[in-house]
């Protein structure tokens, strides 16, 4: 279970950092501060401060000059955010008829406000899709809760 300390810091920007770190890890192992900065389109100096805060809250493990890795709590938070984002994209295209090339920006805004219950209901309403409109896999609720991809 995510610690109370970690829950208190899960703001939109924190979720964005965790999501980017997850994606960078998936692509090649360790996420470096320069890669995080590039992905978020911010200055590397800004990343350093956030990395320290994320490490203090137990969401990442940071090794100077070697990058960061998500902890179990950080991975769970990242997967929950990724699930919310991708379910929202799928719902917008399937239920509301949004074109696939317009759903990303909407999902970016909504992913931080939607509850897990709302996301579960949206997923159920459109048949529990396994991929989003862009072809990316949607983590199941069990995967998001456990912090690991099962399938």
């Amino acid at each position: 279970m995510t610690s109370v300390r970690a829950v208190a810091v899960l703001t939109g920007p924190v979720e964005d950092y965790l999501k980017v770190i997850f994606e960078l890890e998936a692509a090649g192992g360790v996420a470096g501060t320069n890669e995080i900065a590039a992905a978020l389109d911010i200055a590397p100096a800004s990343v350093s401060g956030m990395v320290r805060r994320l490490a203090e809250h137990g969401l990442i493990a940071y090794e100077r000059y070697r990058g960061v890795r998500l902890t179990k709590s950080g991975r769970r938070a990242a997967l929950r955010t990724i699930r919310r984002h991708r379910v929202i994209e799928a719902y917008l295209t399937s239920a509301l008829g949004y074109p696939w090339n317009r759903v990303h920006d909407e999902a970016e805004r909504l992913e931080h406000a939607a509850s897990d219950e709302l996301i579960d209901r949206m997923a159920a309403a459109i048949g529990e899709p396994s991929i989003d409109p862009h072809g990316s896999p949607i983590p199941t609720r069990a995967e998001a809760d456990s912090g690991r991809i099962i399938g």
Side-chain angles (χ1 to χ4, degrees):
M1 178 177 285
T2 304
S3 74
V4 173
R5 254 177 64 194
V7 170
V9 299
L10 292 182
T11 62
V14 167
E15 289 178 334
D16 288 340
Y17 269 84
L18 297 175
K19 191 168 65 167
V20 163
I21 294 167
F22 177 90
E23 291 165 357
L24 290 170
E25 280 185 11
V30 178
T33 54
N34 288 333
E35 291 82 8
I36 296 168
L40 292 170
D41 195 26
I42 58 176
S46 298
V47 173
S48 297
M50 180 64 91
V51 162
R52 279 191 299 278
R53 284 195 2 228
L54 294 175
E56 288 169 6
H57 289 283
L59 295 167
I60 63 166
Y62 172 67
E63 202 174 323
R64 193 174 177 133
Y65 304 116
R66 298 183 60 99
V68 301
R69 289 193 180 274
L70 295 170
T71 63
K72 189 172 181 178
S73 293
R75 190 170 171 81
R76 275 196 304 267
L79 281 172
R80 279 196 306 273
T81 304
I82 291 166
R83 173 175 167 71
R84 285 194 311 265
H85 181 96
R86 293 179 182 171
V87 167
I88 290 167
E89 286 185 335
Y91 186 83
L92 290 172
T93 57
S94 297
L96 301 181
Y98 270 70
W100 72 269
N101 62 339
R102 289 190 40 223
V103 296
H104 178 76
D105 290 339
E106 289 292 339
E108 279 294 316
R109 287 187 289 274
L110 296 171
E111 71 188 21
H112 306 298
S115 68
D116 288 341
E117 179 183 1
L118 175 61
I119 295 303
D120 290 344
R121 287 176 181 243
M122 291 169 81
I126 58 172
E128 299 291 345
S130 60
I131 59 170
D132 72 9
H134 308 288
S136 298
I138 299 173
T140 64
R141 176 66 183 264
E143 290 170 333
D145 287 347
S146 71
R148 55 189 182 92
I149 302 296
I150 299 164

